[in-house]
Amino acid sequence: MNTDWRAVGIGFLVMLIVGAVGLSLPFVGQIGAGLVGGFVAGYLAGGVGNGAWNGLIAGSISGIVLSVLAATIGGLLGLAGGPLGGFLGGAGVFIVGVVLTVLFAIDSAIGGAIGGLISG
């Protein structure tokens, strides 16, 4: 499996755009973003294995970026409860973010495999 960073980058950007549009459908929109972004990354990478791998990486990066951003915001908002509140707020959001990263990675890998299969 080869990592095509161009495919990963484009898939990541597609996930961000579709995810931003999908905010009106909280859970379905984010799963759709992972599938569509993974599909694009997989299609550009070509092949089922490469497609799944590149979709997985694009979804993982997307989930990690979202998790770090949400944990930072949660930590800053938690500072209203003092230093311990900031830590607990950020850590709690980060743990939820890790779970979301796994979910993003799985559906992105599925989308990537389908995209790679279609691209030949």
Side-chain angles (χ1 to χ4, degrees):
M1 287 180 271
N2 296 324
T3 303
D4 181 346
W5 290 106
R6 179 178 166 272
V8 169
I10 292 172
F12 170 74
L13 290 175
V14 168
M15 282 181 212
L16 290 181
I17 293 167
V18 173
V21 172
L23 285 176
S24 60
L25 303 168
F27 192 68
V28 176
Q30 301 312 312
I31 290 176
L35 286 171
V36 172
F39 177 86
V40 170
Y43 185 83
L44 293 173
V48 176
N50 278 337
W53 175 251
N54 286 280
L56 177 82
I57 293 175
S60 297
I61 291 172
S62 174
I64 290 167
V65 168
L66 185 64
S67 297
V68 169
L69 181 65
T72 302
I73 291 170
L76 291 174
L77 292 175
L79 283 176
L84 183 60
F87 172 75
L88 293 177
V93 171
F94 188 73
I95 289 171
V96 170
V98 168
V99 172
L100 288 176
T101 299
V102 171
L103 291 176
F104 279 15
I106 291 170
D107 70 342
S108 298
I110 292 169
I114 294 169
L117 180 66
I118 290 174
S119 74

